[in-house]
Amino acid sequence: MEIAGCTALVTGANRGLGKAFVEALLQAGAAKVYAGSRKPGAWADPRIQPIGLDVTRPADIAAAAEACADVNLLVNNAGVMLARSILAEDSEAALRQEMEVNVFGVLGMARAFAPVLRRNGGGALVNMLSVVSWYVYPFNATYCTSKFAALAATDALRIELKAQGTRVVGVYAGFIDTDMAARVQGEKTAPRQVAERALEGIRRGWDDVRADKAAEDLWAMFRADPAQLRSLGQTLWDEGRAWAV
């Protein structure tokens, strides 16, 4: 799929990676970008159309699908990370919140926009996943759980939407230099790099985009020896190395 001339919708677009997606889309020649967020802000570029969109609210999603009927590229970027271990006192509440955004929000957007994409020639649906879709980082276990689920949903969407010509793309990265990872000490990837590599994957027809070195390295480890990744999580936990990269 070509980015030039497309009409895109990006969720969680006001800052961080969402903002980087909007900017990368415009630079790549997108004709229009709907910038979805809970509190839409003003944008100087007339090609950007802000819309109010909380992906945990079905009414917001339905309104967006009606208002953005010309979309042929959907970027499910909105996400939340609360950094809880699986037996933390508030882990259940954290997991419920992360699942609402990272899984049910993705599913709600996909369900609402699949018919829109079909009417507009198929297009593409992009889900922002994570390297922790493949393994558990124990200090962030509830988020990992949500991203494992989001990966399964992405694979299922790819199967169901193939017949209508919609490309479903999963994007994987390590820690990204945004507010979400502000507490992380260590190497982080520039959000613009992640966005640009995702767009490259769309152009080239890839199902999966490994957007940084962390994703490449961990994917290689995952394919070669999944037990090694499980062992890494245990070591990090035993040594108390929270937010190690």
Side-chain angles (χ1 to χ4, degrees):
M1 174 183 172
E2 289 300 323
I3 305 301
C6 80
T7 297
L9 188 158
V10 179
T11 66
N14 262 10
R15 60 182 184 173
L17 182 57
K19 184 178 179 183
F21 265 114
V22 172
E23 293 170 346
L25 283 161
L26 293 178
Q27 184 169 338
K32 183 194 297 184
V33 179
Y34 294 101
S37 64
R38 287 177 296 175
K39 297 180 180 179
W43 296 78
D45 195 306
R47 292 174 293 171
I48 304 172
Q49 184 170 329
I51 60 167
L53 177 56
D54 181 338
V55 299
T56 68
R57 293 173 55 88
D60 282 13
I61 292 176
E66 183 175 352
C68 309
D70 51 346
V71 163
N72 61 352
L73 171 58
L74 171 62
V75 180
N76 280 318
N77 163 75
V80 61
M81 182 178 75
L82 299 176
R84 299 294 191 273
S85 64
I86 202 65
L87 293 179
E89 184 175 351
D90 58 348
S91 63
E92 183 175 343
L95 178 56
R96 288 183 185 276
Q97 185 176 342
E98 288 166 331
M99 290 288 287
E100 282 295 328
V101 178
N102 301 344
V103 182
F104 293 111
V106 167
L107 176 59
M109 289 294 294
R111 181 181 287 116
F113 276 88
V116 175
L117 295 171
R118 183 184 66 245
R119 290 194 299 268
N120 294 325
L125 186 159
V126 178
N127 288 342
M128 191 62 218
L129 301 173
S130 171
V131 295
V132 297
S133 299
W134 306 323
Y135 83 108
V136 174
Y137 178 68
F139 302 96
N140 199 13
T142 57
Y143 179 76
C144 298
T145 301
S146 74
K147 289 299 184 178
F148 266 66
L151 170 56
T154 299
D155 288 344
L157 287 166
R158 184 175 298 116
I159 292 167
E160 289 201 31
L161 296 179
K162 181 179 180 179
Q164 72 172 42
T166 298
R167 170 73 62 179
V168 176
V169 183
V171 181
Y172 306 86
F175 289 121
I176 303 171
D177 193 10
T178 65
D179 291 347
M180 182 182 287
R183 293 188 297 158
V184 175
Q185 300 298 316
E187 185 176 351
K188 291 181 274 191
T189 304
R192 186 60 178 265
Q193 174 181 314
V194 176
E196 289 179 349
R197 290 199 179 176
L199 299 190
E200 178 185 4
I202 295 168
R203 290 190 195 95
R204 296 193 179 194
W206 296 343
D207 289 341
D208 301 291
V209 175
R210 292 179 289 279
D212 60 7
K213 186 176 186 298
E216 292 287 2
D217 290 349
L218 285 164
W219 176 247
M221 187 185 298
F222 176 71
R223 292 195 66 189
D225 187 0
Q228 184 180 3
L229 274 179
R230 291 194 293 272
S231 177
L232 173 62
Q234 187 68 60
T235 298
L236 293 172
W237 180 259
D238 292 344
E239 296 180 358
R241 289 162 58 190
W243 303 116
V245 176

